[in-house]
Amino acid sequence: CVLNISKGFLIRLRYILGEDDDMPTPTLFTEMDTLQHDGDEMEWKESARWVKFEEKVEEGGERWSKPHVSTLTLHSLFELRTCIQTGSVLLDLEGYSLPQIVDDIVDRQVADGLIGPELREKVSFVLLRKHRHQHKKPIHLSLADMGKSNNSPTNPAQSRSMNDISDKPSTDQMKNKFMKKIPRDAEASNVLIGEVDFLDKPFVAFVRLAQATTLGGLTEVPVPTRFLFVLLGPHGKGKSYNEIGRAIATLMVDDLFSDVAYKARDRDDLIAGIDEFLDEVIVLPPGEWDPKIRIEPPKKVPSADMRKSVLNLNELGQVNGTGTAGGPGGGEDEEMFCGGLWLDIKRKVPWILSDFSQGFHIQSISAVLFIYLGCITNAITFGGLLGDATDNYQGVMESFLGTALAGTVFCLLGGQPLIILSSTGPILIFEKLLYEFCKSNTIDYMELRLWIGLHSCLQCLILVATDASYIIKYITRFTEEGFSSLISFIFISDAIKKMYYPINRVFKPDYVTTYRCECIAPDQGDHLSVTGPTLLPRVYLPSPCTYNITGLDWSQLSKKECVKYGGALLGNACKYVPDLALISFILFFGTYSMTVSLKKFKTSRYFPTKCRSLVGDFSIIISILVFCGIDYLLGLDTPKLHVPTEVKPTRPDRGWVVMPFGKNPWWVYVASAVPALLVTILIFMDQQISAVIVNRKENKLKKGCGYHLDLFWVGILMAVCSFLGLPWYVAATVISIAHIDSLKMESESSAPGEQPQFLGVREQRLTGILVFVLTGVSIFLAPVLQYIPMPVLYGVFLYMGVASLAGIQFWERIKLYLMPAKHQPDFSFLRHVPLRRVHLFTLVQIICLAVLWTLKSTVAAIIFPVMILGLMVVRKMMDLMFSQHDLAWLDDILPEKDKKKEKDGKKKKDHKRTKAAEPESDEEPKSPLPPPVKIPMDTIDLPSAPDPSVTPPTQPPV
């Protein structure tokens, strides 16, 4: 019998919530007012309120309590169910003012025989008493009210004249700052609870208005009222009435019950909603906890989607790592030449205007400055290494111009503008090996490099035309985490390695008197002489003039001047190097630590929300400015950021355009396709895995992905950069993750006690374009940039590497090795997978990461992209080591496995439908709704809800 009851309300709820489910219900603000007696005078006083969690008026009446989870008695829920069964339920009532609504409620009670006609005026008088909210001070009676207090009203008109009833919100309501915590489209539900002496049984009414209506001073904030719940009863049961009021108020802010309340067609639908709530209720034994304890709101509020999924027969999943796009093709299938590219373009065209308009936000300023400093630091570092590897055929200037050109074009026209392009380590190693090959075989390096770039561009376009990007559907969490962890560790290790500064270990303070350095004059015959001034601090003469060194006082020259005029430095102090290691590490770790602290400040309890949000958004810029100021005040010669000041090639004997013919034999143009294939694999894997990480569903991207369009522009830019003699560029994983992190959006109005909800990322093209435009004009900003210490920028690099590890399950599973079982976090995969299997899965990932790290540190790094393909092969082999159940929780199911599961599921559904279609009897078809069930309160026995966590999540096929 109990199972049939449970099945009955589940079927009813499915039917209720299945209609117009696409229309979201407004957020409900619930206020509970209790009737206060002062002699013969009465007024409604606000006692509690709910947006998501409960806030009570403290006993002193001067302040609100902290938001807390409502703790209800099971008996109050049963009594509420009885109240809905026996009271008046008015759905879609046409109400325009509180007096008219009260009249309709009382009329219904009289018509149903629940109260006598003689109580009509008394009930109306009580319900139309004035309301005092918490932000108001106690209202003292005027002399006129005192004169009327001893006389009961004789008609409704007289009762209304004694109350503060207005159709417009008061000034206090409009100025209430609590409105910031309530969403704009919110509606109100009012709960009125009170004790009166003229009733001998409870007066209960549940009202849903056809349209939300502002009822003057009924609510503390100017929010239109949609629901009313009234409970009046005889004296002596005030505590019970209060608990029933708290129960209905808690139900009204419950996501699933509020949907039921909006869509209910009769009393039985509301009862079914209460039964579902009771089915999910967890009871705490009274002797094992203190009911006075207020439960703090959880950091992450559980979603009602799991409860709704039990009721929704058409629940569909999402593909991991594809956001809303559903994979490279966005869930669509376009069987045609360049079909994936065409779908990417169609997906991006509707968002062209918003791609620029959404960039106009103060958060974008912080993102631009943060990513700009990361890009120029990377460009300078990479340009310097590239110059050493290619004998300055490509250097810092080429790195700056290439970064500006490729980045601007990609952010303007690419499929995913949140991706930041940069040069990578494998490309650097390829360039070094290519130059050494050309040098040893007398082949022109720049011309050969041009043809490799052209062949690679053609190969990328072929991959785009054949929709080869669909291979990313085989990139699961296992591959993503291995790749992103490796890049993050590279950023961290490189930032620390660059902090190597010499220390004067041989300096002995006791022998400071013996340290000296002198400038020795060269022989006069070694230098040409011209007439000129005698000793000057610095002598600048135009070339080809020489210096007059005959009258110089060599003992007074500085170190630079001595070397400039050809002198020799002699002494044991001439090689002295300032000890800058300590201050450099202070700047380095100080920048990192301050950035992390200011990021956390966003969720602290100090200062208003806007102030904390502003500090959190600009945390990196604030940290950089603070430590740049400290460095400037100390005045030490710390290494600074040096930017080229002239637009000219690093190597004087090369121009800006590389000619394709004339320096190499013809067969080189054809043979260059072989090394180009390795470059194409490198570019393809690096670009697509970084794009998968950026487009993962956790980032809640709404504009879809563009894998084919991204690869198209990367290929075109390779050809352009090859003609101009600029480096090749591909997606930079860590900087792209940092770009997304700096553009994350959170809800501005969150319920008291509720953490701001992550809404997604500010998807636009403006920040990326500005970053690369600033990179291009950095040569004109050199006078300002020269004050930025390099240790500060390395601290930013360290933050990027550490921040990109956040949220990676692989990193969390590594930390489990160091935790006893009783102290391990309550991860979902630990509930369903044995710990030894978790450790084995993690160990495989660690071994793969160690192999990749070893290859990265050798010349074999050039085959790094092939090793990424090797990760996918390892993941395929893990199907033999782990069950699909374990892999579903620790990783993602491979597509063919999903297809098999979906095929089996379809067969089962078709079998059930065929079986259901067979006629069993000649009876007439029945209504889809079960008849309402009357449940005795003293015998009710509701079953517990089925545990949705028993079935592991699976990934639908791409």
Side-chain angles (χ1 to χ4, degrees), residues 71 282-287 289 295:
T71 52
I282 298 174
V283 178
L284 296 176
W289 80 296
I295 302 176

Side-chain angles (χ1 to χ4, degrees), residues 8 12 81 85 266-269 271 929-935:
R12 179 174 287 273
R81 193 180 189 280
Q85 278 184 326
D266 52 30
R267 183 194 313 269
D268 296 310
D269 289 347
I271 294 174
L929 284 178
V933 182
K934 299 296 182 179
I935 306 175

Side-chain angles (χ1 to χ4, degrees), residues 435-742:
Y435 180 75
E436 291 176 354
F437 171 80
C438 294
K439 189 176 180 180
S440 60
N441 292 276
T442 64
I443 297 176
D444 186 78
Y445 163 69
M446 296 301 290
E447 187 176 294
L448 175 60
R449 183 179 179 275
L450 168 61
W451 279 98
I452 291 176
L454 293 177
H455 281 293
S456 183
C457 171
L458 178 62
Q459 292 166 3
C460 286
L461 296 182
I462 293 174
L463 292 175
V464 171
T466 55
D467 293 343
S469 293
Y470 278 101
I471 194 177
I472 69 162
K473 64 185 180 182
Y474 295 100
I475 299 176
T476 63
R477 182 193 293 270
F478 177 86
T479 308
E480 286 181 38
E481 292 182 341
F483 180 79
S484 59
S485 298
L486 176 66
I487 303 301
S488 299
F489 288 143
I490 290 175
F491 256 70
I492 295 171
S493 64
D494 286 351
I496 296 175
K497 284 180 182 178
K498 294 179 189 299
M499 288 303 299
Y500 173 75
Y501 295 103
I503 300 175
N504 297 309
R505 300 182 182 275
V506 297
F507 179 78
K508 305 295 183 182
D510 193 39
Y511 293 93
V512 68
T513 55
T514 64
Y515 293 143
R516 58 181 300 180
C517 182
E518 294 180 315
C519 181
I520 307 301
D523 295 337
Q524 292 293 328
D526 295 341
H527 297 271
L528 298 175
S529 300
V530 296
T531 58
T534 57
L535 177 62
L536 290 174
R538 294 181 185 271
V539 182
Y540 297 97
L541 295 176
S543 180
C545 297
T546 54
Y547 307 106
N548 178 17
I549 61 176
T550 56
L552 289 177
D553 185 357
W554 293 90
S555 64
Q556 300 298 319
L557 294 181
S558 66
K559 180 180 178 180
K560 290 183 180 179
E561 290 169 344
C562 181
V563 175
K564 179 179 180 181
Y565 296 137
L569 297 171
L570 181 64
N572 52 8
C574 293
K575 295 184 179 181
Y576 174 80
V577 178
D579 284 335
L580 299 175
L582 178 59
I583 185 62
S584 297
F585 271 92
I586 290 175
L587 297 176
F588 174 66
F589 285 110
T591 303
Y592 167 76
S593 302
M594 187 174 184
T595 302
V596 173
S597 300
L598 292 181
K599 277 289 184 183
K600 294 180 179 179
F601 181 74
K602 192 172 185 177
T603 56
S604 69
R605 300 182 179 182
Y606 302 101
F607 298 101
T609 304
K610 287 186 176 180
C611 178
R612 287 186 279 112
S613 179
L614 195 64
V615 171
D617 291 338
F618 285 85
S619 58
I620 299 170
I621 306 304
I622 293 173
S623 302
I624 291 174
L625 292 177
V626 167
F627 284 94
C628 284
I630 293 175
D631 177 78
Y632 179 79
L633 292 176
L634 294 176
L636 297 177
D637 191 20
T638 52
K640 300 296 193 297
L641 178 65
H642 294 294
V643 180
T645 56
E646 295 180 334
V647 183
K648 63 179 183 180
T650 305
R651 190 180 175 97
D653 60 346
R654 61 150 288 191
W656 282 118
V657 178
V658 179
M659 302 308 296
F661 302 103
K663 296 183 179 181
N664 291 330
W666 65 268
W667 58 267
V668 173
Y669 310 143
V670 179
S672 57
V674 177
L677 182 61
L678 180 61
V679 175
T680 302
I681 297 175
L682 187 154
I683 295 293
F684 179 82
M685 295 304 300
D686 215 347
Q687 173 69 35
Q688 300 299 50
I689 294 182
S690 298
V692 168
I693 294 172
V694 168
N695 291 314
R696 61 174 54 162
K697 65 179 181 180
E698 289 84 356
N699 293 328
K700 296 185 178 180
L701 303 183
K702 299 179 176 62
K703 297 183 180 180
C705 51
Y707 296 97
H708 310 279
L709 187 58
D710 288 342
L711 186 60
F712 173 81
W713 283 111
V714 167
I716 295 296
L717 288 170
M718 281 195 68
V720 174
C721 291
S722 299
F723 268 110
L724 298 177
L726 304 177
W728 296 322
Y729 293 92
V730 72
T733 306
V734 171
I735 300 181
S736 299
I737 293 174
H739 190 206
I740 287 178
D741 185 62
S742 63

